[in-house]
Amino acid sequence: MGALDDDLRSELVRLEALGLRRALPATGAGELVDLCSNDTLSLSRHARVIGAAKAALERYGAGARASRLLGGNLEVHAQAEAAAARWLGTEAALCFPSAYQANLGVLTALVGRGDELFCDELVHASIVDAARLTRARVSVFPHGDSAALERLLSSRAGLRARRLVVVESVYSMDGDLADLAALNAVCSAHDAWLVVDEAHACGLLGPRGAGGWAALGERLGSPARLAARVIGGGKALGASGAFVVGSRALVDTLLQRARSFVFSTALAPASAAALGQAIELAASADAEREHVHELARELARELELAPPAAAIVPVPLGAAEEALRVRDELARAGL
């Protein structure tokens, strides 16, 4: 290992020099004011969510013990999936151990060699990795530019491959919204289908917090070209895991072809129970949602930034070194 460790240490020194070396934050150093976690509705500490997790822990044990297709399929998983499908108005839902695995699963199950993926340039790293694994032809279009997407789709006209357009409804770093109505119209005109990552929208946007797609309502305009939505359980729901929601045919296909589901131990039962309870609470949390939006707007006003679309208020600082310096300064101030 000596030579390999020497190489690794050299790479770490290079990252340090670039200001890009990561480290886990200190623990046990006292409570800081939290402006960076995703628990926007504070459901991770809600008594009913904790109670549901405790009850599942006592009934099922600490882990699911196997993949869902073997011995790990528990009633609590089905209950969480039914709750997600009701909340989001879909035929079915499938629970994954993480949103990363959900994105890997849905994209690799739906497209492969000979198919096409069109990704917004700012999609999450899990979508980037999933796109590479599909072996489909991948095209990247400028952030939020539906006209550029249309040009890409038009330039590939005549091919009979399956075509997926992958976006986030709320982008995790910039905090802005995808124009889902425009994207849907482009997909409808060019025989493509949308996959929407709703990790930072569900719980905060739309009727009953059902996300950016639900917020469209009558503004959709053309027939829906929605293939799937991915819902993270570790954001506004305050737990862990994720759901892919859509048609029954979609979920049945994932059971056959989503390797990140088929070959993973199922989500821990306590987490599944927490998700089911958190969904019920999030669906009725209109006052809490408005409070979160008002806090985000107030922060943006104080920082002289544009009003945020959801709960993410980005503060661009430029160089990585400057971001790290400001992070340390804020930590010293208790933030």
Side-chain angles (χ1 to χ4, degrees):
M1 288 292 290
L4 174 59
D5 281 347
D6 289 343
D7 287 346
L8 296 178
R9 280 189 285 267
S10 295
E11 292 173 13
L12 291 169
V13 169
R14 182 179 62 83
L15 289 173
E16 186 83 48
L18 294 171
L20 297 175
R21 182 169 176 172
R22 297 184 178 97
L24 293 173
T27 59
E31 290 293 325
L32 299 178
V33 176
D34 180 7
L35 293 178
C36 66
S37 77
N38 298 307
D39 186 21
T40 46
L41 297 177
S42 299
L43 292 178
S44 70
R45 301 185 183 187
H46 195 288
R48 285 171 57 185
V49 174
I50 294 171
K54 284 181 176 178
L57 190 66
E58 292 289 343
R59 179 175 178 183
Y60 298 106
R65 304 175 300 152
S67 70
R68 293 277 299 280
L69 291 173
L70 293 175
N73 189 38
L74 303 174
E75 181 183 8
V76 70
H77 295 124
Q79 290 169 343
E81 288 164 347
R86 286 194 303 271
W87 183 36
L88 300 171
T90 63
E91 288 182 352
L94 189 64
C95 184
F96 283 74
S98 72
Y100 206 110
Q101 288 169 276
N103 276 325
L104 290 181
V106 69
L107 294 189
T108 56
L110 290 183
V111 293
R113 198 183 302 277
D115 296 322
E116 293 190 290
L117 273 173
F118 300 84
C119 300
D120 186 288
E121 66 179 337
L122 294 188
V123 290
H124 190 265
S126 59
I127 297 172
V128 174
D129 290 351
R132 292 169 176 159
L133 287 173
T134 64
R135 300 184 182 181
R137 178 188 175 107
V138 179
S139 299
V140 177
F141 59 93
H143 177 53
D145 192 339
S146 55
L149 170 63
E150 183 154 29
R151 289 192 295 272
L152 275 172
L153 288 165
S154 297
S155 71
R156 305 286 292 166
L159 299 178
R160 306 317 304 164
R162 181 176 291 163
R163 315 169 101 189
L164 290 186
V165 174
V166 191
V167 299
E168 299 179 42
S169 51
V170 174
Y171 283 86
S172 59
M173 297 305 293
D174 288 46
D176 57 335
L177 299 179
D179 187 344
L180 294 178
L183 290 165
N184 185 77
V186 170
C187 288
S188 182
H190 295 280
D191 192 26
W193 296 91
L194 271 173
V195 174
V196 182
D197 186 328
E198 295 255 42
H200 291 278
C202 275
L204 290 174
L205 299 182
R208 303 176 72 241
W213 184 263
L216 282 177
E218 296 180 355
R219 293 185 293 113
L220 186 58
S222 51
R225 298 289 294 183
L226 182 66
R229 282 178 281 169
V230 177
I231 314 302
K235 305 298 190 295
L237 295 179
S240 61
F243 300 98
V244 176
V245 302
S247 68
R248 171 53 59 187
L250 169 72
V251 168
D252 286 346
T253 298
L254 295 177
L255 289 174
Q256 319 310 313
R257 301 186 60 190
R259 293 167 65 86
S260 60
F261 175 88
V262 173
F263 297 104
S264 289
T265 297
L267 182 67
S271 294
L275 282 176
Q277 183 61 71
I279 287 170
E280 180 180 328
L281 293 165
S284 59
D286 290 340
E288 290 84 353
R289 264 186 286 285
E290 180 50 39
H291 181 59
V292 170
H293 289 304
E294 179 50 40
L295 289 175
R297 290 190 292 265
E298 181 180 352
L299 177 61
R301 285 195 300 269
E302 291 294 328
L303 295 174
E304 299 182 349
L305 299 170
I312 296 170
V313 182
V315 185
L317 293 172
E321 296 91 335
E322 177 66 4
L324 294 174
R325 185 194 67 76
V326 171
R327 177 202 64 186
D328 294 341
E329 184 177 335
L330 290 172
R332 288 191 292 271
L335 302 178

